[in-house]
Amino acid sequence: KTAMQIVEIMKVMEARHPVVMATRVSAEKSAEIQAALPQAIYFEMARICAIQPSVPLAIRPGKLSILTAGTADLPVAEEAAVTAELCGFQVTRLWDVGVAGIHRLLSNRHVIDQSDVLIVAAGMEGALPSVVAGLADCPVVAVPTSVGYGASFNGLAPLLTMLNSCATGIG
C-alpha cells in the first residue's frame, strides 16, 4: 500500500477503534503518514505505525514474554512485542538467548517460569522454541524468521524445525 492509502485506512479505522496500526511500514512511508496524521507514532524496529488512544487501554491480565534466539530476530520479535503492547498487554523482552549460548536462556529461567504465554522468534535452525517449550508449562508460539546463513533457506529450515518439534505446548 502507498502511504496515502495507509493514511485513508487509518482515518476510517480511527473513528471505529481505539488502536490502529499498520505493519511492515518503512521509515520513509512512516514520515509521509505522520505528516498527514501527526498523532501517529512510528516504532522503527518493529516497523509499525500506530495511533493510540489518548487514554491508555486497561492492562490485560497475564504475563507475555517474547524471546529471540539472536539479535537478527529482533525486528520480528519487536513487531510481536509492540503489537501486544498496543493491545494492552505487558511484555517482557528476552533477547539473544539462543541455543548457541544456552547459558543465557537458563540464567533467565525465571522469565519462562513466570510467563503465561511465550512467543519465541528464531532463524537459522529454529531450535530455540523447542528448547523453551521443553522448559515451559505454558503455550509457546514459535515464530520462524528468515535470517541466517548456511542452509536456513530464507526461513524454511526454522519453519520445518518448529513444525516438527516434539515439545508439547508449541504452536
Side-chain angles (χ1 to χ4, degrees):
K1 293 182 177 41
T2 67
M4 288 305 109
Q5 288 170 327
I6 295 169
V7 166
E8 291 307 313
I9 292 167
M10 291 181 91
K11 283 179 181 178
V12 170
M13 291 182 74
E14 184 180 23
R16 295 180 173 100
H17 302 284
V19 175
V20 178
M21 65 180 209
T23 60
R24 304 295 167 109
V25 175
S26 67
E28 295 77 24
K29 274 189 188 173
S30 76
E32 290 180 62
I33 294 167
Q34 289 176 303
L37 297 170
Q39 70 275 33
I41 300 167
Y42 185 60
F43 300 88
E44 186 173 5
M45 184 164 307
R47 297 172 295 166
I48 290 175
C49 195
I51 298 173
Q52 297 175 285
S54 55
V55 177
L57 295 176
I59 303 264
R60 293 184 183 266
K63 293 188 179 232
L64 173 65
S65 297
I66 302 178
L67 293 74
T68 68
T71 54
D73 304 310
L74 285 175
V76 172
E78 267 300 307
E79 184 178 6
V82 170
T83 299
E85 289 171 338
L86 287 170
C87 292
F89 291 96
Q90 290 184 313
V91 174
T92 299
R93 291 165 169 82
L94 196 55
W95 298 158
D96 199 21
V97 293
V99 297
I102 197 74
H103 62 284
R104 294 187 302 257
L105 177 66
L106 297 176
S107 68
N108 285 285
R109 176 72 191 262
H110 64 283
V111 173
I112 295 169
D113 293 340
Q114 295 169 359
S115 296
D116 296 307
V117 175
L118 295 155
I119 297 173
V120 184
M124 297 293 294
E125 78 286 349
L128 184 62
S130 293
V131 172
V132 170
L135 297 170
D137 64 355
C138 66
V140 174
V141 178
V143 181
T145 66
S146 59
V147 298
Y149 47 84
S152 66
F153 298 107
N154 294 316
L156 180 60
L159 171 64
L160 293 174
T161 298
M162 293 170 193
L163 288 172
N164 287 308
S165 177
C166 61
T168 59
I170 194 168

